[in-house]
Amino acid sequence: MTSDDALSAWWRMFGRPPRVMGLDVARAFAIVGMMGAHAAGIDESFALADPSSWAGIVHGYPSLLFALLAGFSVSLMTRLGQVADEDIAAVRLRMLGRGITIFAIGVFLELLSTPIAIILTLYGVLYLALIPMLRWRSSWLVLLAVALGLLGPLLLAVLAPLPEDTLGPVLEFLLRGSYPITVWLFFALIGMALARLPLQRAVTALWFTAAGAALLVSAHALAALPTGDRMLSAAVFDLEPHSGSMLEILAALGMGSLVIGLCLLLARPLRWPLLPIAALGSMPLSAYTAHVVSYFVMAGPDGRLASMDILLLSTVILLVMTTAWSILWRRGPLETLAARAGDAVAVLANRR
C-alpha cells in the first residue's frame, strides 16, 4: 500500500486526515517559543552570527512558524485525492465554522487584557481567507505568496508612518497589528504548497532542512548590507521581530523550513521520546489558550511576567496535561469545539 493509499484509507475510516508527527513536534516548538516571548523576559535582539543572542529567536520566528504550519494543516485537511469534488463545499463550510470559532476564542483572550499580542483572532481570519484557495494548484499558491512577499512589505512600510487609527479598525487590525495579514497569508500559502510534497520521505525533510538553512543564512547576510534610505530599510532590510520586511519574511521562512525539516527527520527515530512534545503540538488551540489564561491568572490584567522559571514550569505542566489528554481523548478540547462548530455549520447549510 502506498502512502497515498494509506491516507485515503484513514480518511474513509475516521473522516479526518492522519496526523504527521513531525509537524506536531514543530508546532509544539512554535507554541513554546511564543510562550518564551511572553514570559521569559528574553531580549528581542537576535543575530545569527552572535550565539549569545540566539535566545532572541523566540521573538517573531515562532509565530511565523505557526502561520507556516497553519498552511500545512489546511492543505492536509483538503488534500487532492482524499476529498472528493462533491465534498469540497462541506470542507469549506467546516473551515468557515472553525475560523469563526477560533476568532471568537481569540476575542475572549483579548478581553483578558494581557500584554500578549493574541494570535488567534488573525488565525481565525486566516482560515476564512484561505477558503477560496483550497483547490488552487501549488504553482498558483506560490505565485500569490511571492506577490505578497514582494508587495506586502512595501505596503506596510508606506503605512507605518501614518497616525494610529487612520485606516479604521478593520484595516488597522489586518495590516498594522503585530501579525499583518499579508505576512501570515504568505506563510500559509507557502505551507499549503509544501504540504502537498511527500512528507513521509526523508529526502523531503532533508530538502526542507537544507533550503531552510540556506534561506536563513542568506537573509541575515543581506540584512548586514548598508542602506541609508528609511523606506528601503523598513521594506527590505529590517530584521526586527514583526517588522514585516522582505528579509524578515525570508529569514522566518528559512527558520520555519529548517525546524520543520529537522522535526520530520527526527520524528521517526525518536518517536517515543518525542510523543509528549507531539501531544502538545497536536492541540495548539487548547495549549495556547491555556498559556494565555494561566498568564492572566499569574500576572493579572496588564501585568507582565519575566521569569525563565515560570516558562519552564508552564512548559512542563502543558506537556504533562496535553500528553494525558491525548492518551484519554486524542483530540484537544478546543480543537474538538472548533471541529464540532465546523460540522454544525456544514449540517445547517445542507438543510437549507
Side-chain angles (χ1 to χ4, degrees), residues 26-27 29-30 60-70 255-256 259-260:
R27 199 175 288 108
F29 285 132
Y61 288 102
S63 60
L64 295 178
L65 171 59
F66 199 70
L68 182 64
L69 288 164
M255 183 69 76
V259 170
I260 291 172

Side-chain angles (χ1 to χ4, degrees), residues 1-292:
M1 178 182 288
T2 67
S3 59
D4 286 342
D5 291 336
L7 286 170
S8 298
W10 183 288
W11 191 288
R12 288 193 299 271
M13 290 173 63
F14 300 107
R16 62 180 186 271
R19 303 206 67 87
V20 179
M21 185 178 178
L23 298 182
D24 283 338
V25 172
R27 199 175 288 108
F29 285 132
I31 294 168
V32 174
M34 287 186 285
M35 291 168 57
H38 305 152
I42 298 173
D43 190 78
E44 289 193 9
S45 63
F46 171 74
L48 197 60
D50 180 11
S52 66
S53 72
W54 285 359
I57 196 176
V58 300
H59 295 284
Y61 288 102
S63 60
L64 295 178
L65 171 59
F66 199 70
L68 182 64
L69 288 164
F72 276 81
S73 297
V74 169
S75 195
L76 289 173
M77 284 192 296
T78 58
R79 198 161 190 160
L80 294 174
Q82 272 71 58
V83 180
D85 289 340
E86 59 268 20
D87 296 331
I88 193 63
V91 172
R92 290 191 170 107
L93 290 169
R94 290 190 182 97
M95 277 193 64
L96 174 65
R98 288 185 183 211
I100 292 172
T101 303
I102 294 169
F103 181 85
I105 295 171
V107 170
F108 164 74
L109 296 180
E110 295 275 10
L111 294 176
L112 297 180
S113 296
T114 66
I116 297 172
I118 303 299
I119 64 170
L120 295 186
T121 43
L122 190 74
Y123 193 67
V125 172
L126 187 66
Y127 254 65
L128 305 182
L130 293 175
I131 290 175
M133 308 168 195
L134 297 182
R135 285 302 207 189
W136 283 22
R137 297 177 180 176
S138 296
S139 57
W140 297 355
L141 296 173
V142 172
L143 283 174
L144 179 55
V146 170
L148 287 169
L150 294 174
L151 300 178
L154 295 174
L155 174 62
L156 297 178
V158 170
L159 296 177
L162 298 179
E164 291 186 10
D165 301 324
T166 301
L167 304 178
V170 175
L171 289 180
E172 288 284 346
F173 163 69
L174 292 176
L175 294 175
R176 300 224 291 175
S178 297
Y179 311 112
I181 188 65
T182 53
V183 176
W184 271 48
L185 194 53
F186 168 88
F187 282 94
L189 292 169
I190 293 293
M192 287 177 67
L194 293 178
R196 295 175 180 176
L197 298 174
L199 300 179
Q200 295 82 7
R201 297 181 182 177
V203 67
T204 303
L206 287 171
W207 272 110
F208 282 178
T209 305
L215 287 175
L216 180 62
V217 171
S218 298
H220 278 263
L222 290 171
L225 295 176
T227 174
D229 184 79
R230 182 198 62 81
M231 186 69 70
L232 181 64
S233 177
V236 180
F237 292 97
D238 189 356
L239 275 183
E240 290 297 311
H242 310 296
S243 66
S245 75
M246 294 181 192
L247 287 187
E248 192 213 7
I249 290 174
L250 189 68
L253 178 59
M255 183 69 76
S257 299
L258 176 61
V259 170
I260 291 172
L262 289 174
C263 289
L264 289 172
L265 282 172
L266 296 175
R268 184 167 295 177
L270 298 180
R271 177 177 179 81
W272 292 107
L274 290 176
L275 277 176
I277 301 175
L280 194 161
S282 71
M283 49 190 82
L285 183 58
S286 300
Y288 181 87
T289 301
H291 161 63
V292 176

